[in-house]
């Protein structure tokens, strides 16, 4: 079944949870009104079902009986209600309801934790009355319940909306914006968890992600994204930070030791401390450099990536690989250092040229080949629209949802590999499918070739090598060429000799001593193996085939 059809199965547009007095009903009604869908309040529905007010039911039958009725009703609504659904304050504390909400999220649902100012929420809760859980000293009971419930609400929800100081209409607009966003949670045994937020307006969370501790912010960006860095600077200044704007060369020329050294000097002169932070705005090269500066300054400061290209959104900004290039090769100097968050704002794509958008599809396709074959299906189904991408008319079209899903799926693939292997000891190397030759092409082309284009050719080369050695059949090699070509990506290269390429492939980060190491498919998409020291004649024959 097509991914877009499955997303439209009957389920609530959003489920709102929160403390008593958080404004769940008022805000939920505003959200439903704004997006023209029905609204349902679980408490009101329960009262209709049991034929009495909730305080009466509590008094007559007790809380356990009420929670059973509540859990059953919520389970029914999660399966067969297409609107905005507000739950009672204690509903998410019931284990069966937690399971039902988790299943709803797994089906693409959004559980919104409406996090209101405690003083405002307590005042509203007291004013509303009829709350059996607040009998006695209402404020003391509210605070006790908040202490118990807040950690659960944070765990249960996949959308967290702060409403402090907002009108109901303002809170509703924020809910709508955040429900439309997608979030990939990146975690692992050696990783401090962070989120990749995908959607229109995600840069608006910049201050929230940075937090209150930093005083100075180094805003690192390139000239072509000045419009987006201006937005970041305005947000940072509104948040009370002191902003140092640092302009770097665009693309790979910005990823050098000289550029990094200039930034270190600037940070030293301006008194940046370990409690300050770095924000990177731009394409993959800019976010790589920003992350490297953050990793090395004072042995590590907080940083946030705001990628502005498709390639950066799906690859460079996520995963914690930071680095710079040297005359000997790409990314040979770097550090594994994870960001505090990644804000992939779809509005940034409006300024992206068509050719730079298309090169990002190379990394998207790679993730489809190595793990998520649904990515390949989506690329096939929408190849014409993707190849014809026009940023100026992109937002608000069906293509925006296609691209958002591709970003989400690709980041999810990367998160899977990163969470299991932050420092590239094994599994994470599968993310380098197509990169062994791809990096060599970039170097020999003096980085005139963009990364995604080089990786596309590198994947065809890896497929040819796998076929020669009996790992995959000719049909899969042909599929590489047809799919990548349909997206506007190159599938051949003739810009250097085999000896030049071989020398650079020996410097690849996956190489072990004098032994070449490749990542190849074994049988089909999603099945990857390491190929160590393949026969020299096969390595050369595969290269000959991508020159044609």
């Amino acid at each position: 079944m097509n991914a877009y059809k499955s997303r439209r199965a009957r389920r609530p547009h959003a489920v709102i949870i929160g403390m008593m007095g958080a404004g769940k009903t008022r805000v939920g009604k505003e959200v439903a009104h704004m997006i023209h869908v029905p609204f349902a309040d679980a408490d009101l529905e329960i009262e209709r079902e049991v034929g009495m007010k909730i305080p009466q039911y509590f008094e007559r039958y007790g809380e356990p009986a009420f929670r059973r009725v509540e859990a059953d009703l919520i389970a029914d609504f999660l399966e067969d209600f297409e609107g905005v659904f507000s739950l009672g304050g204690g509903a998410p504390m019931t284990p069966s309801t937690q399971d039902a909400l988790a299943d709803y999220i797994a089906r693409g649902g959004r559980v919104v934790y409406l996090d209101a100012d405690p003083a405002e929420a307590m005042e509203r809760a007291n004013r509303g009355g009829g709350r059996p859980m607040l009998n006695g000293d209402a404020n003391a009971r509210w605070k006790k319940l908040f202490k118990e419930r807040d950690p659960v609400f944070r765990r249960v929800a996949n959308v967290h909306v702060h409403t402090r100081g907002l009108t109901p209409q303002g809170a509703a607009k924020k809910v709508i914006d955040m429900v439309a966003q997608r979030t990939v949670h990146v975690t692992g045994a050696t990783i401090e968890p962070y989120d990749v937020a995908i959607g229109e307006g995600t840069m608006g969370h910049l201050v929230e992600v940075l937090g209150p501790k930093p005083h100075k912010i180094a805003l690192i960006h390139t000239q072509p994204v000045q419009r987006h860095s201006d937005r970041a600077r305005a947000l940072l200044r509104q948040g009370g930070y002191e902003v140092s704007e640092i302009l770097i060369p665009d693309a790979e020329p910005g990823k050098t030791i000289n550029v990094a050294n200039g930034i270190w000097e600037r940070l030293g002169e301006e008194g940046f401390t370990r409690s300050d932070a770095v924000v990177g705005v731009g394409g993959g090269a800019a976010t790589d450099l920003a992350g490297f500066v953050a990793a090395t300054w004072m042995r590590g400061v907080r940083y946030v990536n705001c990628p502005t290209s498709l390639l950066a959104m799906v690859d460079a900004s996520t995963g914690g690989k930071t680095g710079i290039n040297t005359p000997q090769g790409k990314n040979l100097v770097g550090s594994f250092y994870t960001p505090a968050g990644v804000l992939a704002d779809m509005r940034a794509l409006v300024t992206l040229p068509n050719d730079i958008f298309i090169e990002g599809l190379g990394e998207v396709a790679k993730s489809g080949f190595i793990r998520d074959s649904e990515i390949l299906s989506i690329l096939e189904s929408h190849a014409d629209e993707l190849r014809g991408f026009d940023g100026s008319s992109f937002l608000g079209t069906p293509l925006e949802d296609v691209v958002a899903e591709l970003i989400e799926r690709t980041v999810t693939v990367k998160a899977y590999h990163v969470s299991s292997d932050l420092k590239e000891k094994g599994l994470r190397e599968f993310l380098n499918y197509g990169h062994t030759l791809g990096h060599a092409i970039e170097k020999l082309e003096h980085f005139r070739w963009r990364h995604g284009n080089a990786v596309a050719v590198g994947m065809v080369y890896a497929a040819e090598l796998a076929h020669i050695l009996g790992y995959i059949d000719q049909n899969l090699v042909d599929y590489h060429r047809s799919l990548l070509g349909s997206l506007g990506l190159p599938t051949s290269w003739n810009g250097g000799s085999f000896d030049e390429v071989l020398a650079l492939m020996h410097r690849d980060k996956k190489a072990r001593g004098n032994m070449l190491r490749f990542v190849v498919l074994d049988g089909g998409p999603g099945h990857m193996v390491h190929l160590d020291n393949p026969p020299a004649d096969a390595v050369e024959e595969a290269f000959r085939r991508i020159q044609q």
Side-chain angles (χ1 to χ4, degrees):
M1 180 182 290
N2 186 285
Y4 308 100
K5 292 178 182 176
S6 64
R7 278 187 178 276
R8 298 189 179 102
R10 284 183 67 86
R11 55 174 169 77
H13 180 82
V15 175
I16 301 179
I17 66 173
M19 285 296 295
M20 292 172 286
K24 299 184 294 296
T25 299
R26 177 70 187 277
V27 173
K29 285 181 177 178
E30 289 287 350
V31 171
H33 175 72
M34 289 178 181
I35 62 175
H36 309 292
V37 299
F39 172 75
D41 183 301
D43 285 349
L44 293 178
E45 297 299 328
I46 291 168
E47 290 181 343
R48 289 193 187 100
E49 183 165 316
V50 302
M52 65 181 73
K53 295 292 185 181
I54 287 174
Q56 291 177 279
Y57 195 89
F58 253 75
E59 185 175 348
R60 184 175 301 182
Y61 300 105
E63 184 181 358
F66 170 77
R67 294 301 178 195
R68 287 192 293 272
V69 172
E70 180 183 58
D72 289 344
L73 181 137
I74 289 170
D76 289 343
F77 268 72
L78 291 178
E79 291 292 336
D80 196 27
F81 177 68
E82 295 181 294
V84 176
F85 186 34
S86 172
L87 306 192
M93 303 302 289
T94 303
S96 63
T97 297
Q98 293 175 16
D99 292 341
L101 290 172
D103 180 66
Y104 162 71
I105 288 173
R107 293 184 287 120
R110 298 289 188 263
V111 176
V112 180
Y113 176 18
L114 214 59
D115 187 4
D117 177 76
E120 294 175 3
M122 282 188 283
E123 181 187 350
R124 282 195 293 265
N126 290 331
R127 191 168 62 238
R131 302 179 188 271
M133 297 301 292
L134 295 184
N135 288 342
D137 185 337
N139 284 354
R141 286 283 296 157
W142 192 97
K143 291 175 183 177
K144 182 176 182 295
L145 289 170
F146 176 77
K147 189 174 181 180
E148 295 170 356
R149 293 176 177 179
D150 179 64
V152 176
F153 291 175
R154 291 177 183 273
R155 186 178 75 248
V156 167
N158 61 347
V159 177
H160 193 153
V161 178
H162 298 278
T163 64
R164 292 167 177 80
L166 295 177
T167 64
Q169 293 78 15
K173 180 63 170 67
K174 189 172 182 180
V175 168
I176 291 168
D177 288 343
M178 293 189 69
V179 163
Q181 295 169 10
R182 302 159 185 259
T183 302
V184 178
H185 191 58
V186 184
T187 187
T190 59
I191 297 174
E192 185 173 341
Y194 64 94
D195 288 334
V196 180
I198 304 154
E200 286 190 49
T202 57
M203 189 184 283
H205 305 312
L206 183 54
V207 171
E208 180 183 328
V209 176
L210 282 167
K213 290 184 179 179
H215 172 63
K216 294 185 176 73
I217 306 293
L219 178 59
I220 299 173
H221 68 94
T222 59
Q223 184 61 49
V225 302
Q226 186 69 52
R227 168 178 171 179
H228 308 303
S229 65
D230 287 346
R231 168 70 173 148
R233 184 179 64 249
L235 289 167
L236 292 169
R237 287 180 174 166
Q238 287 169 14
Y241 302 110
E242 181 181 318
V243 183
S244 294
E245 194 168 354
I246 301 175
L247 184 67
I248 63 171
D250 190 31
E252 299 299 330
K255 283 179 58 175
T256 69
I257 190 65
N258 289 335
V259 173
N261 187 57
I263 297 174
W264 290 325
E265 290 180 353
R266 176 96 174 260
L267 298 183
E269 291 168 357
E270 297 185 10
F272 271 72
T273 68
R274 185 171 288 175
S275 63
D276 293 319
V278 170
V279 172
V281 179
T287 56
D288 271 358
L289 179 74
F292 180 66
V293 168
T296 50
W297 184 253
M298 297 280 180
R299 295 188 178 89
V301 298
R302 193 172 182 84
Y303 82 105
V304 176
N305 277 331
C306 299
T308 59
S309 70
L310 178 62
L311 181 72
M313 290 179 183
V314 300
D315 183 38
S317 65
T318 303
K321 283 175 73 172
T322 72
I324 56 174
N325 304 328
T326 71
Q328 289 71 39
K330 184 173 179 178
N331 295 331
L332 294 180
V333 175
S335 173
F336 293 98
Y337 190 68
T338 53
V342 178
L343 304 174
D345 196 327
M346 300 289 283
R347 292 174 185 169
L349 298 180
V350 301
T351 59
L352 198 65
N354 172 270
D355 61 329
I356 299 180
F357 175 83
I358 286 175
E359 71 128 347
L361 295 174
E363 283 286 351
V364 174
K366 177 208 74 178
S367 293
F369 282 118
I370 69 172
R371 184 165 175 82
D372 183 0
S373 59
E374 182 62 26
I375 290 174
L376 303 178
S377 298
I378 296 170
L379 291 173
E380 273 190 84
S381 300
H382 299 278
D384 289 344
E385 304 102 284
L386 291 165
R387 190 176 63 250
F389 172 84
D390 179 357
S392 65
S393 58
F394 165 67
L395 295 182
T397 68
L399 184 61
E400 182 180 0
D401 190 55
V402 173
V403 173
E405 179 159 3
L406 287 172
I407 294 170
E408 181 182 25
R409 285 182 173 274
T410 305
V411 171
T412 300
V413 169
K414 185 156 191 178
Y416 166 77
H417 289 83
V418 169
S419 64
S420 304
D421 179 23
L422 175 64
K423 296 192 175 179
E424 204 165 42
K425 302 293 185 183
L427 181 66
R428 182 170 179 159
E429 285 188 336
F430 293 156
L431 291 169
N432 288 319
Y433 185 54
H435 286 56
T436 304
L437 177 68
H439 283 164
I441 290 174
E442 287 181 90
K443 183 71 175 65
L444 289 170
E445 291 286 353
H446 304 287
F447 299 108
R448 290 187 297 267
W449 266 54
R450 290 197 167 267
H451 177 71
N453 293 341
V455 167
V457 176
M459 286 189 286
V460 176
Y461 172 80
E464 290 283 10
L465 181 60
H467 174 51
I468 291 168
L469 296 175
Y471 286 90
I472 64 174
D473 60 23
Q474 183 63 50
N475 287 338
L476 188 49
V477 180
D478 294 342
Y479 179 69
H480 277 69
R481 282 198 167 88
S482 63
L483 176 65
L484 297 171
S486 72
L487 297 169
L489 290 159
T491 57
S492 62
W493 178 75
N494 199 15
S497 70
F498 176 69
D499 287 342
E500 290 174 311
V501 167
L502 185 63
L504 286 169
M505 289 197 298
H506 272 289
R507 296 177 190 165
D508 181 74
K509 297 187 297 299
K510 294 186 302 302
R512 300 292 185 266
N514 196 40
M515 183 178 71
L516 284 176
R517 193 180 210 205
F518 295 89
V519 170
V520 298
L521 294 175
D522 183 11
H527 302 281
M528 310 301 299
V529 293
H530 290 106
L531 180 58
D532 293 333
N533 210 25
D537 58 344
V539 174
E540 186 168 5
E541 172 60 18
F543 179 72
R544 185 188 65 77
R545 294 183 183 184
I546 60 100
Q547 290 183 298
Q548 298 173 354

